[in-house]
Amino acid sequence: QKEVEQDPGPLSVPEGAIVSLNCTYSNSAFQYFMWYRQYSRKGPELLMYTYSSGNKEDGRFTAQVDKSSKYISLFIRDSQPSDSATYLCAMSGEDSSYKLIFGSGTRLLVRP
Amino acid sequence: NAGVMQNPRHLVRRRGQEARLRCSPMKGHSHVYWYRQLPEEGLKFMVYLQKENIIDESGMPKERFSAEFPKEGPSILRIQQVVRGDSAAYFCASSRLAGFNEQFFGPGTRLTVL
């Protein structure tokens, strides 16, 4: 079993839709939770991170962490075609916090 | 303010040859991380280096792979005697501080082993 599970998609939505992306994990020691966006043939780019449980909002993006369920989510409101990319969740623990454990990524396509 | 630079962007090697991948971190960053991304998989941590020191190489295969980050010049990931299974995208990231802080990723080097 992988430490971090993520549905690969692809997820296809019309422009303006609310998108929900999710990851589950098995290691209860994870404390840092991140979402990266990766465009084709590019390196990942950090969108948001949260520490421990709770919600965090940044513009159209909201990240949620539920440590009791070992489940994290990224919501994208008013999705745009430019949001079309692969979204990777990543996590790390207090020890070796630099060692990011990534999900396999969900491909998102926002149709105009 | 240039980002993380990696070269070459694409590298083709025949089985048994050596591959050298270079990474120049962002200005002011002294922490470098290498990750490998296999097709349809997420990035896998390989190694964490500071200038002249390997801090954590727990993700590096025991044989054929080595990494360095000299006092001067880029970080190098070296793969000796490449095999087809080494074909992947190799990403370098850098950060300003130790511990948890944003890692900025380069565009990657795509290695193809024939």
Side-chain angles (χ1 to χ4, degrees):
Chain A
Q1 184 190 6
K2 293 181 181 178
E3 277 192 285
V4 180
E5 299 275 2
Q6 188 174 7
D7 188 329
L11 181 61
S12 180
V13 301
E15 184 175 353
I18 295 174
V19 175
S20 172
L21 303 164
N22 311 293
C23 288
T24 58
Y25 63 95
S26 56
N27 189 342
S28 57
F30 287 148
Q31 290 280 29
Y32 299 94
F33 303 91
M34 291 140 273
W35 286 96
Y36 281 82
R37 178 174 60 196
Q38 185 176 23
Y39 291 113
S40 181
R41 303 294 187 184
K42 303 284 187 188
E45 164 194 22
L46 181 67
L47 282 174
M48 300 180 70
Y49 77 89
T50 52
Y51 175 75
S52 195
S53 280
N55 296 356
K56 189 171 185 178
E57 189 173 320
D58 184 0
R60 296 185 296 112
F61 298 89
T62 300
Q64 288 185 352
V65 174
D66 181 349
K67 291 190 71 180
S68 62
S69 302
K70 297 192 180 70
Y71 187 88
I72 71 169
S73 302
L74 177 72
F75 298 96
I76 307 175
R77 289 185 298 281
D78 187 25
S79 55
Q80 304 294 310
S82 58
D83 294 329
S84 298
T86 295
Y87 289 79
L88 302 159
C89 62
M91 311 174 187
S92 63
E94 288 284 11
D95 296 333
S96 306
S97 57
Y98 53 83
K99 189 187 295 187
L100 305 185
I101 310 300
F102 281 87
S104 55
T106 299
R107 270 198 302 141
L108 171 66
L109 174 63
V110 181
R111 306 186 306 271
Chain B
N1 188 13
V4 177
M5 310 280 281
Q6 288 188 251
N7 67 82
R9 294 292 308 275
H10 300 275
L11 182 61
V12 179
R13 286 287 178 266
R14 296 191 180 279
R15 280 180 296 168
Q17 291 184 319
E18 178 178 289
R20 282 191 178 224
L21 289 62
R22 294 175 200 80
C23 169
S24 296
M26 285 181 68
K27 188 175 181 179
H29 289 193
S30 58
H31 303 267
V32 166
Y33 316 84
W34 286 93
Y35 292 82
R36 176 164 65 175
Q37 186 175 36
L38 294 169
E40 307 303 322
E41 292 190 21
L43 285 76
K44 297 281 195 294
F45 170 84
M46 298 181 76
V47 63
Y48 163 32
L49 310 104
Q50 291 182 35
K51 285 284 187 181
E52 300 184 277
N53 288 302
I54 297 175
I55 307 301
D56 183 346
E57 57 181 349
S58 59
M60 288 271 276
K62 292 286 185 286
E63 297 177 353
R64 302 188 298 108
F65 285 71
S66 62
E68 63 177 10
F69 188 15
K71 188 176 180 183
E72 301 291 338
S75 175
I76 306 285
L77 179 67
R78 183 181 175 205
I79 311 172
Q80 295 178 292
Q81 299 173 348
V82 296
V83 301
R84 289 226 173 97
D86 297 332
S87 295
Y90 291 82
F91 289 95
C92 165
S94 72
S95 68
R96 192 167 61 86
L97 303 172
F100 179 77
N101 62 118
E102 182 171 358
Q103 294 182 18
F104 292 83
F105 282 81
T109 293
R110 276 152 187 87
L111 172 66
T112 301
V113 179
L114 302 177

